[in-house]
Amino acid sequence: MNDLIWRKLELKRMRWRLLNGRCQCDPEVLPAALDWLNGEIDRIEKEKQLLAV
């Protein structure tokens, strides 16, 4: 469970860095990168909910 929380926070940090210009990213791939990050964060949320039951 702690690994999931840690990974979720790491993904959120990556998303924040992309959105706020804290890292370099090709503008053409930025939407795809954000979609992937959001999908991974959502997947972790669902997995966390399943483990809580």
Side-chain angles (χ1 to χ4, degrees), residues 32 38 40 49 52-53:
N38 288 332
E40 287 294 306
Q49 289 173 355
V53 172

Side-chain angles (χ1 to χ4, degrees), residues 40-52:
E40 287 294 306
I41 292 168
D42 290 342
R43 184 188 59 78
I44 289 172
E45 277 296 315
K46 289 177 185 173
E47 192 172 329
K48 194 169 91 173
Q49 289 173 355
L50 288 174
L51 290 175

Side-chain angles (χ1 to χ4, degrees), residues 1-9 44 48 51:
M1 184 74 136
N2 286 337
D3 290 338
L4 287 177
I5 294 169
W6 183 254
R7 180 65 178 156
K8 180 181 159 188
L9 291 174
I44 289 172
K48 194 169 91 173
L51 290 175

